[in-house]
Amino acid sequence: MSFDNFKKYLNESLNHPNNSHTDWVSYNSSLPNLPCTLDWASTDSDELFKIALNNGVDGINSKLSNRIPKARFNETVKYYLDNPISYELNPYKFRSDEFSTELSGNVFLGCSDTFGVGHLLEHSWPYILTKLRFPNYKIYNLGAPGSGSDTHFRLLNVLKDKMKIKNIFHWLPIRSRFEIYLDRSIEYVRREGFSTISPAWEIDNDFFSKNYTKYGLMSETTRNINDLKNILAIKNIADELGVPYYLANFDNNISFYDNKCMNEVNDYFYKNNIPERLLARDFQHMEILESGRVVAHFLHELKPSSLEKINKNII
């Protein structure tokens, strides 16, 4: 069987609209459906925000591993009381412009920090990068909270023909996030479909033995190979489409950015009255300043002198 035929054979099982699902939101029917609006995402905890309102900074710090300074806590709470967040989702349930094969846009791949959990849409890094470099392009944001590189490849693979793609930007999450497909024949499956799993989440459950999880999935070799396979697969899709693929990740310290690019981001914050010190509404996801650093990184990669489309230190 030729490569093209084999790829077609493997993709036949992925052609159903349901295979563009992510596991962070519930679906009542096959996609695409109608756009919808959420006041809270499953990874943006309204419970934490209620604790913040009722118990103050000490209450929220008792729930988190990192301590939040009181001044930044108060600034964040007041801001989101005055500026409540709503998550506008397209028919495929992404925080994205509606997909179009006629209108040019950039694809953004990543997890909750690409989706923009805990932030207004205009404070997310895909939005800021678009306004700075691609003001006439659509934002095709495939960011999926809780996801890893398995999900990012799958979503791009199944949705790539529904958008007119010009560039692909990928903010790779921390490793140890794997995706598997579960059917209802397994009695303890919460629902049929794709699920992202992490050893940190599953180690006390029965799905994997502890040794398999600890010494298999959590091994650096397994994690590196898994991400590398997905990165190369995404790069192959980009090459087939004839578009650049830009990549960065959490493992690379995002303080290493071009100062001129960061100054451009800071100027954008100032001109658009964006409070760069603001924390995420759930006090857990990237703060606005960190999102700005991600933008600065990609601005540097977009320089004409930058010939390398994939970051050299991806693993």
Side-chain angles (χ1 to χ4, degrees):
M1 184 180 291
S2 69
F3 172 77
D4 287 339
N5 286 337
F6 191 68
K7 186 170 67 171
K8 181 180 178 182
Y9 159 73
L10 291 175
N11 273 321
E12 284 178 354
S13 66
L14 297 175
N15 287 336
H16 193 280
N18 285 349
N19 287 320
S20 61
H21 279 180
T22 60
D23 71 344
W24 73 277
V25 67
S26 298
Y27 300 89
N28 297 320
S29 61
S30 297
L31 294 176
N33 204 325
L34 295 174
C36 69
T37 300
L38 302 176
D39 291 328
W40 297 89
S42 61
T43 48
D44 177 14
S45 172
D46 57 340
E47 179 182 354
L48 280 178
F49 197 67
K50 289 176 183 175
I51 290 172
L53 291 176
N54 295 330
N55 301 313
V57 66
D58 292 334
I60 203 68
N61 279 334
S62 69
K63 298 292 183 180
L64 304 177
S65 57
N66 59 310
R67 293 192 64 80
I68 298 172
K70 186 174 182 179
R72 297 190 71 188
F73 170 85
N74 291 337
E75 181 180 357
T76 298
V77 170
K78 183 180 186 307
Y79 185 88
Y80 289 119
L81 283 174
D82 295 338
N83 302 275
I85 298 171
S86 63
Y87 299 99
E88 307 290 336
L89 307 183
N90 74 5
Y92 283 85
K93 303 300 183 285
F94 293 96
R95 199 183 192 189
S96 167
D97 289 330
E98 190 161 351
F99 302 150
S100 170
T101 58
E102 302 296 327
L103 301 175
S104 296
N106 294 326
V107 162
F108 298 91
L109 303 175
C111 63
S112 48
D113 287 318
T114 298
F115 179 93
V117 166
H119 293 289
L120 299 173
L121 176 66
E122 55 267 31
H123 295 170
S124 65
W125 73 261
Y127 186 96
I128 296 170
L129 180 61
T130 299
K131 293 301 179 183
L132 284 173
R133 283 294 182 274
F134 310 98
N136 298 319
Y137 277 14
K138 291 292 185 180
I139 301 174
Y140 299 135
N141 190 344
L142 302 186
S147 64
S149 64
D150 290 331
T151 308
H152 307 158
F153 162 70
R154 173 175 62 84
L155 294 176
L156 180 63
N157 185 54
V158 76
L159 293 169
K160 62 183 184 294
D161 295 328
K162 299 186 182 300
M163 296 165 278
K164 188 176 182 180
I165 301 172
K166 291 298 184 179
N167 296 280
I168 298 171
F169 294 94
H170 189 185
W171 179 241
L172 190 67
I174 55 175
R175 298 198 188 99
S176 299
R177 289 178 178 178
F178 303 91
E179 182 180 76
I180 56 176
Y181 189 88
L182 304 174
D183 61 41
R184 295 190 185 280
S185 63
I186 305 175
E187 62 181 11
Y188 45 81
V189 171
R190 64 174 182 250
R191 66 174 178 81
E192 183 176 8
F194 289 99
S195 289
T196 299
I197 61 171
S198 170
W201 305 335
E202 302 291 340
I203 198 165
D204 292 324
N205 297 333
D206 295 329
F207 194 82
F208 292 114
S209 71
K210 290 186 178 181
N211 283 340
Y212 177 77
T213 300
K214 184 175 181 179
Y215 300 110
L217 289 180
M218 288 188 72
S219 70
E220 185 175 4
T221 299
T222 297
R223 291 179 286 149
N224 288 353
I225 290 174
N226 189 66
D227 272 351
L228 181 59
K229 287 188 292 186
N230 287 309
I231 289 166
L232 293 175
I234 292 170
K235 180 64 165 59
N236 182 70
I237 292 175
D239 289 344
E240 289 183 346
L241 296 173
V243 303
Y245 171 39
Y246 301 93
L247 177 67
N249 72 356
F250 281 106
D251 289 348
N252 294 328
N253 189 332
I254 60 173
S255 65
F256 293 102
Y257 48 79
D258 186 309
N259 284 330
K260 290 183 179 179
C261 293
M262 194 64 218
N263 288 338
E264 184 178 355
V265 173
N266 288 332
D267 287 344
Y268 178 86
F269 286 164
Y270 177 78
K271 290 175 182 177
N272 291 277
N273 197 30
I274 295 175
E276 63 180 50
R277 284 169 39 87
L278 202 67
L279 303 170
R281 184 173 66 174
D282 67 345
F283 306 101
Q284 298 180 96
H285 286 88
M286 284 202 308
E287 59 190 78
I288 289 180
L289 183 59
E290 288 178 326
S291 295
R293 289 171 179 162
V294 175
V295 173
H297 173 89
F298 284 121
L299 289 177
H300 176 76
E301 293 293 302
L302 285 165
K303 285 183 175 181
S305 60
S306 178
L307 301 178
E308 190 67 42
K309 299 307 181 186
I310 293 186
N311 192 293
K312 294 178 180 178
N313 298 312
I314 54 177
I315 61 171

